[in-house]
Amino acid sequence: MSFLEFYGIKGQPFSNAPDNRFYFNSEQHAQALLRLKYAVDSMKGLSVLIGDIGTGKTTLARRMLEELPEDKYESALLIIIHSSVTAEWLLKKISVQLGVKDVADTKMEIIGQLYQRLVEIHEAGKKPVVLIDEAQMLNSRDLMEEFRGLLNIENTDGKLLSLVFFGMSGLNDCLALDPPLQQRVAVKYKLKSLNAEATEAYIRHRLSIVGSERDLFTPDAYLSIQDHSHGIPRLINTICDNALYEGFLVKKKVIDEGLILEVAQELDLEKKPIGMLRDTDEEIDQAVERIGEEAKS
C-alpha cells in the first residue's frame, strides 16, 4: 500500500512548492490582499508586503496575480532570484512582461518604449501592474532610484504604473536607500506567523484539498505543531510532511503528539524554548533556512 493510499488522499498535502491550489485565506492574508488590490485598483503607485521567511509571501503574490482580471489589468509577476540585478536588466524584464516588442538595448530607449506601452495599455482601458517577489534582493540605491523614475511616469489622469513589492524585512532597508521612493509607499502590510487556531485550520485546509475525509492529527498534535513551527507555514508543512511519512512507516493512521515530538527532535526544532526562539526574527529566519535546506537534501 502506498503512502497516499494509506491515508486515503490524492496528493502530497504539505509540499513547500508554491501551488495556488493550497492557498489558505487566513484573516491576515485576506486583509493583505484587500489592501494591495485597493492600491493597484486606485493606481496608488507603490505598495509593499513584508513577511518573514516561510510566511507565504510568494503564495500571496501568485494569488494576487491570479485574482487580477485580465480585462481590467495588464499584470505580471517578476521573481528576483539573485542580487546582481542591473537597472538595464530590470527595465528590460518589466518591459517584456508588459508586452513591449523588440526591447532596445540602451536604458533611455527602453524607458521610451515602456512609456509608449504604458500609454497603450491605459488607452485600452487597462491598468498596468508589476508584482515583484523577493524584492529585498534589489539592494541597490540605483535600482531604488530607477523604481522612483518609473513611478514618476504619469499622464493627466495620474500614474501609469503600479508596483507591488513582496519581500522580507530587509526590504525596508532597500527602500531607505532612496528616501523619496520610501515616501511614495502608499500601502504597506506585514504578514505575521499563524496563531494556534489558524495553524489547525491551515492544516485541515491543505488536507481537504487532497481529498482527506478524516482527521489525521489529534488535538494535542495540532498544538505541538504550533509550538514547534511557531505558526510559520513553511515549517508547518515540513513538520506535517515528516510526521505523516513517519506515521506511514509505523502504520499509524492518526498522528499524535508523541510522533510530532519525535519529528521535531529529528528536525532540531526542540533545541530552544519557544520564548527564546521568538526573541529575534533573525533566529526564526535561521531556523527556517536550516529546515528548508535539510528538506531539500
Side-chain angles (χ1 to χ4, degrees), residues 44 100 123 208 216 230 259 283:
K44 294 291 186 182
V100 175
E123 290 177 346
S208 71
L216 299 186
H230 313 288
L259 191 50
E283 287 179 312

Side-chain angles (χ1 to χ4, degrees), residues 207-266:
L207 287 171
S208 71
I209 297 300
V210 296
S212 177
E213 297 180 353
R214 61 185 180 85
D215 220 337
L216 299 186
F217 296 87
T218 66
D220 285 343
Y222 283 120
L223 292 176
S224 187
I225 293 166
Q226 165 68 17
D227 287 343
H228 290 92
S229 69
H230 313 288
I232 299 171
R234 188 177 298 172
L235 280 181
I236 294 171
N237 290 344
T238 300
I239 293 170
C240 289
D241 185 60
N242 279 270
L244 286 179
Y245 187 69
E246 293 299 324
F248 167 67
L249 293 179
V250 298
K251 305 307 177 188
K252 182 177 288 190
K253 290 202 170 186
V254 179
I255 307 303
D256 57 22
E257 180 184 13
L259 191 50
I260 297 298
L261 292 174
E262 290 179 20
V263 167
Q265 184 176 8
E266 289 297 322

